[in-house]
Amino acid sequence: MKGEKPVEGRHPYEKYYEELEPVIKSKAEEFTVIGYGAVEMKDLWNYLMKKKWKNAKPDDVHMYSLVSDILSVKPGDFMSFMAVEAYRSPDWFADLDEAELDELLNPDKAK
């Protein structure tokens, strides 16, 4: 769990990251303790930005509400989000030509 600070200016709640960092870290550690593996703080923050706070209201924000939102994240919801994000990731094999891809997928045929 690295405390990598996200890029500012993209979401109205980004400015609260440093204040919320201990709560995010605690929630990420909770997921690890209950058996969901290592959860990165940046991934949890990304989930909050894209899902929980998708329709943020910057004029009507309270710190206690943000903390409550973080603490109420359900592991299943977060893991589903991460699975969808993994499917949306770029094609890892796009830079390989057909021969390289065939060699990677069929190592016994190589040479």
Side-chain angles (χ1 to χ4, degrees):
M1 281 173 278
K2 298 174 184 163
E4 298 176 28
K5 187 175 178 184
V7 179
E8 289 191 32
R10 296 183 300 172
H11 192 279
Y13 295 171
E14 286 285 344
K15 60 186 172 188
Y16 302 111
Y17 179 79
E18 287 182 12
E19 293 173 82
L20 294 169
E21 193 170 4
V23 182
I24 297 165
K25 182 178 181 184
S26 175
K27 191 63 176 185
E29 289 172 350
E30 176 188 324
F31 286 175
T32 302
V33 167
I34 61 176
Y36 282 90
V39 173
E40 297 281 334
M41 288 173 48
K42 64 182 173 78
D43 292 333
L44 187 53
W45 184 251
N46 191 33
Y47 167 78
L48 292 162
M49 296 286 109
K50 289 185 174 182
K51 289 302 240 183
K52 200 78 159 174
W53 300 326
K54 187 176 183 177
N55 300 316
K57 298 177 183 175
D59 298 333
D60 187 32
V61 62
H62 301 281
M63 191 60 65
Y64 65 84
S65 179
L66 298 179
V67 169
S68 176
D69 287 345
I70 295 167
L71 294 177
S72 67
V73 172
K74 295 177 183 151
D77 294 341
F78 174 73
M79 292 301 169
S80 293
F81 170 79
M82 291 301 292
V84 170
E85 288 296 301
Y87 285 120
R88 289 182 181 171
S89 67
D91 183 4
W92 294 350
F93 305 111
D95 293 337
L96 299 177
D97 65 24
E98 190 173 329
E100 292 171 320
L101 189 56
D102 189 48
E103 184 178 335
L104 179 66
L105 296 175
N106 301 306
D108 296 336
K109 288 185 182 177
K111 300 177 185 177

